[in-house]
Amino acid sequence: MKAIIPVAGFGTRLRPHTLTKPKVLMSVAGKPMIHHIIEQLISEKLVDSIILVTGFMGNKIENYLNKSFNFKFENAIQEEAKGLGHAIYCSKHLFNTDKPEDVIIILGDTLFDVNLSDLCKNDFSVIGVKEVEDPRRFGVVEKDSEGFVKKFIEKPSGPEVSKSNEAIVGLYYLKNSNLLFESLKSIIEKNIRTKNEYQLTDALSEMLLRNEKIVTYPVDGWLDCGKPETIFETNQYLLKKVPIKENSIFQHKYSFVGDDCEIKNSIIGEFTSVGDNCKIINSIITNSIIESGSHIENAIIKDSIIGEKVTVKNKAQILNLGDYSEC
Ligand code: UTP
């Protein structure tokens, strides 16, 4: 089986960081978000190849993965970010129509605390879902009495709100690559767009029309990293899962410090992730992500995202600083 991970978006909601670095290379709990996804996929031994659909700064992602993992990566290029469905369609040439196969699709900016092997142990195609209190902000699935997906509803409103509270989380196991690509082709040829983009959900609706049976799988650990609020939540979740063994007053147990850092007279507080080669002097940092090579001195920082090779001196505030900034 192959996995497809689309990573060709611009990540506009995480600017300025995504102006110099692809979103999926931003760190959570000390490692790029894509690293966590690939690690999980490889450890569950589910797939024999991982396809990255890349666009903007895609070579940085390829270089990182080839340097960090000894695994088969294939690359598909999405020249223009025309939506998730279009991104997946760009990987069509990597599949053999004479030998349709199962596919797993994972969004590049979303981590899942879920047993993927269990999700894929199914006779039908599967969509990962999570019950949410207010379905109006999400794409949701409506099911029939036997539990098969009947309809997808994007951001339900009015009477549709009560039909389902199962939100689509961005994790898919699809049984037939041919049907997937035929359905994507169909929506692209008919120019079916939602919010001006070719959506995977529209292709899934097309699959339903072509009699595909789709079921849902509950995903509790849905860890979005696509915007500042959620990247902090994901960082916190991951840091809580693997507390450091040696708790000291200088480093909170729910924190991470990379290799070759110089930490002097400072507190690395709760939910702080510090990349490699950082220098932190006379400072207190909480609930923040500090990328590698940064220098923080005489500062009190919280709720901040600090890019690579940033210098911060004599500050007490919330910061959102792109790579190489000085302040
Ligand atoms: P998002 O829409 O959340 O990511 O897509 P984005 O477009 O990068 O972010 P914003 O909205 O500008 O902040 C979810 C995943 O699908 C990929 C993205 O790279 C991300 O991993 N994607 C999205 C593509 O590969 N191509 C697209 O055309 C759209």
Side-chain angles (χ1 to χ4, degrees):
M1 173 163 71
K2 288 182 196 281
I4 309 175
I5 308 182
V7 294
F10 286 103
T12 49
R13 287 167 295 171
L14 282 169
R15 284 178 179 167
H17 308 281
T18 47
L19 294 172
T20 46
K21 164 193 295 168
K23 172 166 62 176
V24 299
L25 291 186
M26 287 179 68
S27 299
V28 276
K31 284 181 206 154
M33 48 186 97
I34 189 88
H35 189 112
H36 295 278
I37 298 175
I38 304 285
E39 215 168 42
Q40 180 181 18
L41 268 174
I42 295 179
S43 74
E44 292 210 32
K45 296 192 172 68
L46 271 174
V47 297
D48 41 41
S49 146
I50 298 175
I51 299 172
L52 275 303
V53 183
T54 60
F56 184 54
M57 293 188 283
N59 58 334
K60 290 195 178 180
I61 304 171
E62 282 170 63
N63 291 346
Y64 176 82
L65 293 179
N66 288 320
K67 191 181 75 189
S68 311
F69 296 96
N70 181 14
F71 198 75
K72 182 177 174 197
F73 293 107
E74 295 178 273
N75 191 229
I77 309 269
Q78 187 189 27
E79 301 277 359
E80 208 185 319
K82 294 184 191 170
L84 181 58
H86 180 261
I88 305 298
Y89 190 66
C90 291
S91 67
K92 181 177 180 290
H93 63 285
L94 298 170
F95 289 82
N96 183 349
T97 39
D98 294 333
K99 272 201 214 151
E101 56 182 315
D102 301 0
V103 192
I104 183 161
I105 299 173
I106 306 183
L107 302 188
D109 60 352
T110 311
L111 313 189
F112 296 102
D113 191 359
V114 69
N115 184 322
L116 291 174
S117 312
D118 197 42
L119 180 141
C120 295
K121 248 184 245 147
N122 211 304
D123 294 335
F124 304 104
S125 287
V126 180
I127 296 193
V129 294
K130 182 171 164 107
E131 282 191 11
V132 291
E133 264 174 35
D134 182 2
R136 286 174 298 185
R137 290 188 297 124
F138 302 92
V140 298
V141 294
E142 192 186 331
K143 294 192 291 193
D144 66 17
S145 54
E146 291 170 274
F148 290 110
V149 176
K150 192 160 84 171
K151 195 175 167 192
F152 298 97
I153 311 168
E154 187 54 32
K155 301 209 168 86
S157 59
E160 286 191 316
V161 176
S162 58
K163 290 194 172 152
S164 164
N165 64 346
E166 285 187 293
I168 301 170
V169 299
L171 178 59
Y172 310 85
Y173 165 65
L174 303 174
K175 293 294 275 185
N176 182 333
S177 49
N178 279 357
L179 181 62
L180 168 67
F181 289 110
E182 281 159 20
S183 302
L184 285 166
K185 184 170 179 224
S186 163
I187 64 151
I188 292 169
E189 280 179 355
K190 290 186 204 151
N191 201 21
I192 297 173
R193 297 179 190 228
T194 304
K195 288 206 223 114
N196 204 31
E197 292 194 339
Y198 297 112
Q199 304 288 358
L200 180 58
T201 318
D202 288 326
L204 295 172
S205 298
E206 180 67 30
M207 287 171 73
L208 290 180
L209 287 175
R210 295 175 187 224
N211 298 322
E212 179 70 352
K213 294 270 190 211
I214 304 179
V215 295
T216 57
Y217 187 93
V219 176
D220 269 339
W222 175 16
L223 310 169
D224 179 36
C225 306
K227 36 190 184 179
E229 317 83 271
T230 58
I231 204 172
F232 284 130
E233 280 168 23
T234 299
N235 190 50
Q236 291 166 9
Y237 184 96
L238 294 176
L239 289 173
K240 261 195 214 160
K241 273 204 99 174
V242 193
I244 53 165
K245 287 190 190 78
E246 295 277 329
N247 185 9
S248 74
I249 55 162
F250 302 110
Q251 188 181 349
H252 193 278
K253 65 176 175 172
Y254 299 144
S255 68
F256 175 92
V257 174
D259 295 334
D260 303 320
C261 290
E262 181 186 342
I263 315 271
K264 260 196 208 148
N265 195 26
S266 295
I267 295 176
I268 307 301
E270 194 177 34
F271 306 133
T272 298
S273 163
V274 178
D276 297 338
N277 299 305
C278 287
K279 192 166 162 182
I280 298 177
I281 317 283
N282 298 332
S283 296
I284 300 173
I285 310 178
T286 45
N287 194 41
S288 294
I289 296 170
I290 319 288
E291 299 281 11
S292 56
S294 286
H295 177 177
I296 296 171
E297 194 160 334
N298 299 327
I300 300 174
I301 291 174
K302 63 168 188 170
D303 308 335
S304 297
I305 306 179
I306 310 269
E308 279 178 43
K309 299 193 169 68
V310 170
T311 305
V312 177
K313 285 189 180 165
N314 309 318
K315 290 281 175 303
Q317 65 192 86
I318 295 175
L319 297 165
N320 189 19
L321 294 174
D323 296 345
Y324 300 98
S325 304
E326 287 184 19
C327 97

